[in-house]
Structure formats: C-alpha cells, structure tokens
Amino acid sequence: VIRLPTHDKLKVFIEQNVDIEISITIAELVADEKYHGLASEVKDSLALAFEDAEEFKTIFAPHRDIVLENREVNAADMRKEVENEQRTLEIFRDDILLYKKQLAEITDLSTTNDNGIIRVNMEHLKNEFLPSPERCLHEISGLLPRLAAESYGNFVTDLRNANSNLSSIPSTVEEF
C-alpha cells in the first residue's frame, strides 16, 4: 500500500506551496450538504480504520499471554523438579520444542498493518516479545549441561564405590 505522502500525484501539493484562493466562509462550508456528506464519510472511514487496528491488535494477545507465562520459567525451579523426579528429559525436550516454536511464531509476526489511513506499527512490541522464549531456551541450555555433569559425577562415584565393594573380601554375611 502506497502511503499518501509518497504518492506521486500528491507530491505536487505536499512539496510546493500552492496558492489556493478560498472564497467561502467557514459558516457556509459547515452549512453545505456536500461538506456534511464528506465529513460523515471521513468519520465512518476513521471508525472503520480504528476497528481494523483494534482487530489487528488481537493478533498479539496470545503472544502477550505466552510472555507472561514464560516469566515464571527459571533454572532453579527446573532443578528442583529434576531433584523431585518431576521433570524428565522428555519434558525438557518438549519445552525446548515449545520455546523454539514460540520464537519462530514471534519472529514471523507482521510488524505493520495498514488500515486505510492508519498504519499500526508493532515492531517495538514484537521486539519486546522476542527475548521471552530466547531467555527460556537460555535457561534450559545452561541447566542441562550442569545436570548432566552432576549426574555423571554421581554415576562415577557410585561406580567407584561398587568397584571397591566388589574388590574387597567380605568379612561378614551382610557384606557378602
């Protein structure tokens, strides 16, 4: 959609000082039926454009909800869930896929929408939304290697203890 200030036919009127002789008074203009018809059309056009802008705004409502939900995501809570055996690798995988999907959806959102004479620019809002899934992915990508290292350390300790027990000669029936 071509914006009016850049429309070739209108540049003449915008860029130059055009002397137009006005021979009608404001009272005559307001009393004119043609003026009332045009004013009504402009009013209706503006109302429709604002309705369209409000409808365009609803596209962002689910993403706002996602951002609010993602605020609760943090590595400390995920660690506690792992320790309580409430979070598995499958849950981590599902969360990673979810946050990648959110990131792609937010990236693909249109940042502008032209509604008649109104241009809705949501670029700033989109830029506010993007860090939310990125932060969640960062939390998980920082936590998983630490959990893996801890798990591996625990496994090696258990293995050493078991190897030590197997290498020793039992002195009691319970040790056997």
Side-chain angles (χ1 to χ4, degrees):
V1 175
I2 298 175
R3 303 301 299 163
L4 292 179
T6 60
H7 197 279
D8 291 335
K9 291 181 180 179
L10 296 176
K11 281 186 178 179
V12 173
F13 298 105
I14 294 171
E15 294 175 353
Q16 299 175 3
N17 290 331
V18 178
D19 292 327
I20 300 174
E21 190 173 314
I22 300 174
S23 60
I24 189 169
T25 66
I26 292 180
E28 293 172 328
L29 179 65
V30 171
D32 186 21
E33 286 297 318
K34 187 175 180 181
Y35 166 79
H36 284 289
L38 288 173
S40 177
E41 287 178 23
V42 167
K43 181 180 175 183
D44 293 345
S45 178
L46 282 172
L48 184 61
F50 276 105
E51 286 175 18
D52 289 346
E54 285 293 321
E55 186 176 322
F56 178 69
K57 184 177 76 172
T58 62
I59 293 170
F60 287 88
H63 302 291
R64 178 200 61 219
D65 296 340
I66 287 170
V67 169
L68 293 175
E69 288 174 18
N70 288 352
R71 284 184 180 171
E72 303 298 319
V73 174
N74 65 65
D77 287 346
M78 286 186 271
R79 177 183 284 282
K80 287 177 187 172
E81 290 174 358
V82 168
E83 290 169 356
N84 295 332
E85 298 179 2
Q86 296 171 329
R87 179 172 279 273
T88 63
L89 286 176
E90 289 79 21
I91 294 174
F92 276 112
R93 184 198 66 222
D94 292 345
D95 284 351
I96 289 170
L97 293 174
L98 173 70
Y99 300 133
K100 283 185 176 183
K101 179 182 174 202
Q102 290 175 1
L103 189 60
E105 287 175 358
I106 293 171
T107 301
D108 291 343
L109 284 174
S110 173
T111 55
T112 60
N113 187 22
D114 292 326
N115 299 311
I117 62 171
I118 297 174
R119 173 174 272 179
V120 180
N121 185 340
M122 302 287 239
E123 187 171 352
H124 179 72
L125 183 61
K126 180 178 173 179
N127 290 336
E128 289 293 318
F129 286 170
L130 275 174
S132 176
E134 289 173 343
R135 183 192 63 77
C136 294
L137 285 169
H138 182 73
E139 292 280 332
I140 291 174
S141 67
L143 179 62
L144 281 177
R146 289 193 307 267
L147 290 173
E150 290 172 12
S151 180
Y152 176 73
N154 292 338
F155 170 73
V156 169
T157 302
D158 290 346
L159 186 63
R160 286 184 183 145
N161 290 340
N163 200 18
S164 174
N165 287 342
L166 289 174
S167 300
S168 66
I169 300 173
S171 58
T172 64
V173 173
E174 288 82 24
E175 288 179 4
F176 185 70

